[in-house]
Amino acid sequence: MSLRMTRQREVVASLLESVEGFHSAQELYEMLLSDGERIGLATVYRTLQLFSEHELVDVMRNADGESVYRSCQAAGRHHHHLLCRKCSKTIEIDGPTVEQWALQVGARHGFTDIEHTIELYGICSNCRATAGANTG
Amino acid sequence: MSLRMTRQREVVASLLESVEGFHSAQELYEMLLSDGERIGLATVYRTLQLFSEHELVDVMRNADGESVYRSCQAAGRHHHHLLCRKCSKTIEIDGPTVEQWALQVGARHGFTDIEHTIELYGICSNCRATAGANTG
DNA sequence: ATGCGTGCAAACGATTTGCAGCCGG
DNA sequence: CCGGCTGCAAATCGTTTGCACGCAT
């Protein structure tokens, strides 16, 4: 690829691999700052967009409609996510079932080129155990 | 309910029933204006929020992350949507399959209180027939 | 009469963009 | 050296909010 590898892009890529779960551009930006890195917010946005275009990161929208990113181990591989509403723990989901379902539903209605957005939200077992104890 | 019924709220509700598919607050606002109605954009937003809280309208997010609304015939009934990327035709989907799938996947990972966001996008048969002919 | 609802515009938060200077290849 | 990359801040865009007034109840 013709991507010029700069310090900024390296640290963004590096950060993405060192953190768990999904994070917004703003969050990543702040992490970088407190990490002592010199980088602009716009650059973080541009880098994240670039990475996602090249399928180097996994992108999804959180409940607020904001874009959140994560290093994509399963790059290029289609999958979805199950995320805890309390602790934000995220689990990657492989759903041949839904994939099939989506295609079938689409086909049944005469649609082609089916794509889909699927996100699952719930309370993980850990948070369930401490339910009500961490409201904040 | 303790909702005061005002002219503005009536016209918003009325408009929602007279149009097909999903529309953003801004779109609805402009429709009202060109309809000769006197109403503020903020009121449209507030009204739409209110309606959705009372489950009087169906809300979803479009691909851009914006909230779009539609009068909800199947009020309170959980369902999803299949929408054409070309003409925006929207089809309401009942998916016991996915509902089950979502619950199972959640349970398998120890999650409870499972909720989900599912949207399907595709090209409808009609647009498929005229494919490439209406780019813009 | 009371207080919720409204309109306007300013505030807001996320994201994008213009432009001049920097640096990787 | 050249052109893509960066940083900053201003510009956008959708949405929310503060405040004074109007209207439904």
Side-chain angles (χ1 to χ4, degrees), chain B residues 4 6 8-9 39-40 43 46:
Chain B
R4 196 174 286 191
T6 65
Q8 290 88 333
R9 288 178 181 176
I39 188 172
T43 299
R46 284 189 279 231

Side-chain angles (χ1 to χ4, degrees), chain B residues 113-128:
Chain B
D113 299 276
I114 306 295
E115 288 179 2
H116 52 260
T117 295
I118 298 180
E119 317 287 5
L120 304 190
Y121 305 90
I123 305 291
C124 73
S125 54
N126 191 44
C127 288
R128 176 130 241 245

